[in-house]
Amino acid sequence: MGELLARFRGPLLFFTLAFFSLMTMLADYRALRGREHALPWWSSRVVELAIPVQKAIAAPFEAARLLWQDYISLIGVASENQELRRRIAALEEERLQYQEALVASGHLAQIAAMRDTFTMPMLPAEVIGQDVSTWLRAILIDRGRHHGVYSGMPVVTEQGLVGLVTATSERAAKVMLLADRQLAADGIVQRTRTRGIVRGIGNDRLEFEFVPDELTLRAGDVVMTSGIGGVYPKGLRIGEIESVDEAPANRFLQRVRIRPSVEFRRIEQIFVLLWRGHTMELLYAEETLPVSAPAEAKVPKP
Amino acid sequence: MLFLFGVLCVMAQGALAKIIPPQYVPDLGLLMAFGAGLTLGAVDGLLLAAALGYVADTLGGSLLGQWALVYIIMCQATRILTQHLNFQGIFYHALFVFGLTFVCEFALAGSVWLFQEESPTAGVLTTALAIHAVANAVTAPLFGQLIIQLAARLESDRRRDLQLNGQRTGK
């Protein structure tokens, strides 16, 4: 018996480990779908150990890249400056026109009050690592529960929606990107108010699903979060429609591709919205949110 | 020692993916599993691959055990090939890793489907995956050699320590 075990210990260990990993996957899946998703203690330690190591590894490359960027940006700085001045002037003029129109209709005060209501605290964070897999799209950030970051909080950049916090440790968190096939967002087309589900389809492109065929969408239309579904707040920019399939397989629904406004492969700085929608509140009910957000989280209104 | 080196590699790949597009970054954890299959025994190799897989799962967006499963498949496949074929040379190593990168991504996708209510809208095969497979294949022979050298060095150190201990107890 002992001889037999020794002879087949390789295959035996292989199947045992494969079975064990399947079991841990199942347990992790249940935890993710359950009411709490703080990382296990050993996992938290590994993640927190990774923060300084990954920062140290990235530092020289980062410095070289910034140096190169600065050098490149100097080349066209004069013409760019001129172009920017021209654009500022045009935008300023446009802004004044809008302001004029709003004041005239007496809505400015109401809109200002509404902005106050909707402003939510944001916490800046740095991306310290990213998945290399082409199938799974997630990032690791250097803020965790200690900073008020909890699972289910949306993550944005100045360009738009990035994804959702899915797991946290004391000082780090995992963020699943919107480009991941497992994540979806309820979106709305700004021009036509058409609703649908936005989902990643690989190669960092998104698809707008369940759009009825009779609605006329066109390339360039802006897609934003609808706020329905209780996961993301309303009005976060997702991207622009890239193409509309004229001959879809399903004749009742259109196949709409979206170019995300965020370049998922080049994310460096992000903001965690210290807010959870009602669906996320229900899902992660056992993870208690702080009564008030940390002081550093309260950034001025955009 | 090899485990610590592997952990460092897994952390390095995550940090590099932040700077250059992730598909161009070789999967160093996967290559460690490949190296473990080339050099280590069944037990050591599989345990190292599984442990590194769990570290990769912790640092990435996968379920705990997803990468571990992929790494032990990689390690075992390499071991089987090394035992039954004359699996030597840069070209064969690169070709094997190129092919297995696709297999591993399919395994990942399969394990996602296993736990999802609905299947994803697109297939696994993308340009990014092809680029990633090439990046892995190019790095594989070099990395394989590095692991072989490192393992040999550790083994000779261990033997020297054993000899020294034997001499001391002999005295």
Side-chain angles (χ1 to χ4, degrees), chain B residues 56-139:
Chain B
D57 285 321
T58 299
L59 297 178
S62 49
L63 291 172
L64 212 59
Q66 255 178 314
W67 276 118
L69 183 64
V70 166
Y71 284 6
I72 59 172
I73 290 172
M74 179 67 155
C75 180
Q76 186 70 356
T78 313
R79 270 188 53 72
I80 290 170
L81 224 66
T82 314
Q83 280 171 349
H84 297 287
L85 296 170
N86 184 24
F87 186 54
Q88 281 174 348
I90 290 172
F91 177 72
Y92 292 113
H93 286 180
L95 196 68
F96 175 70
V97 170
F98 180 80
L100 224 67
T101 305
F102 284 90
V103 174
C104 290
E105 286 290 321
F106 275 106
L108 267 183
S111 54
V112 169
W113 279 330
L114 204 66
F115 291 100
Q116 264 197 330
E117 287 89 358
E118 51 186 322
S119 64
T121 51
V124 187
L125 288 166
T126 57
T127 328
L129 175 57
I131 294 168
H132 191 51
V134 171
N136 281 348
V138 169
T139 325

Side-chain angles (χ1 to χ4, degrees), chain A residues 14-296:
Chain A
F14 171 74
F15 286 114
T16 310
L17 286 173
F19 180 73
F20 183 72
S21 54
L22 277 170
M23 288 299 107
T24 52
M25 275 161 70
L26 188 66
D28 199 38
Y29 173 76
R30 287 176 70 122
L32 193 68
R33 291 290 160 116
R35 290 178 166 267
E36 203 265 335
H37 201 64
L39 291 168
W41 67 268
W42 65 270
S43 204
S44 295
R45 296 292 165 276
V46 173
V47 167
E48 276 155 29
L49 179 76
I51 295 174
V53 175
Q54 290 193 316
K55 276 185 178 173
I57 292 168
F61 295 98
E62 201 78 49
R65 195 172 57 88
L66 286 174
L67 201 71
W68 178 250
Q69 261 181 3
D70 287 350
Y71 172 73
I72 291 289
S73 64
L74 273 176
I75 294 170
V77 79
S79 58
E80 194 184 343
N81 211 358
Q82 209 172 5
E83 173 63 19
L84 286 173
R85 278 171 197 273
R86 194 188 60 75
R87 280 186 63 189
I88 287 171
L91 287 170
E92 184 65 17
E93 194 178 332
E94 202 176 332
R95 189 185 69 81
L96 285 171
Q97 279 174 4
Y98 278 127
Q99 203 171 13
E100 198 68 24
L102 285 167
V103 170
S105 60
H107 287 162
L108 191 58
Q110 282 177 359
I111 288 172
M114 198 170 76
R115 269 186 56 160
D116 280 341
T117 318
F118 282 103
T119 299
M120 51 187 72
M122 291 191 285
L123 181 72
E126 196 185 330
V127 177
I128 53 163
Q130 199 169 137
D131 250 329
V132 291
S133 162
T134 54
W135 182 261
L136 303 160
R137 307 290 290 119
I139 53 173
L140 197 63
I141 60 170
D142 64 347
R143 301 290 166 136
R145 289 194 297 272
H146 177 74
H147 308 96
V149 174
Y150 290 87
S151 307
M153 288 180 167
V155 173
V156 297
T157 67
E158 68 283 2
Q159 296 165 318
L161 181 64
V162 171
L164 200 68
V165 176
T166 53
T168 55
S169 74
E170 265 311 291
R171 290 171 190 280
K174 280 190 203 182
V175 177
M176 191 180 275
L177 303 180
L178 192 58
D180 193 297
R181 291 167 173 86
Q182 298 171 82
L183 199 65
D186 199 297
I188 189 166
V189 178
Q190 202 177 34
R191 184 177 62 85
T192 60
R193 316 310 290 170
T194 309
R195 274 188 56 213
I197 302 293
V198 179
R199 193 189 289 276
I201 52 166
N203 269 358
D204 284 351
R205 283 290 182 270
L206 307 171
E207 195 166 85
F208 199 31
E209 295 178 338
F210 308 116
V211 180
D213 201 19
E214 70 267 20
L215 296 166
T216 50
L217 301 180
R218 57 177 183 238
D221 278 348
V222 174
V223 182
M224 313 184 89
T225 53
S226 68
I228 298 166
V231 180
Y232 306 102
K234 190 178 177 176
L236 296 175
R237 195 183 168 98
I238 293 174
E240 278 181 12
I241 291 179
E242 192 175 44
S243 64
V244 181
D245 195 344
E246 288 172 3
N250 183 334
R251 65 194 181 94
F252 298 113
L253 298 171
Q254 295 185 68
R255 195 186 172 98
V256 183
R257 293 280 164 92
I258 298 175
R259 188 189 312 114
S261 51
V262 174
E263 215 177 329
F264 292 112
R265 295 189 188 275
R266 290 184 182 276
I267 309 169
E268 289 167 22
Q269 292 281 340
I270 52 110
F271 294 94
V272 182
L273 297 184
L274 299 174
W275 170 91
R276 267 199 321 216
H278 56 265
T279 307
M280 291 290 109
E281 275 299 335
L282 286 172
L283 192 62
Y284 298 109
E286 283 172 24
E287 264 192 337
T288 44
L289 281 173
V291 179
S292 63
E296 61 178 314

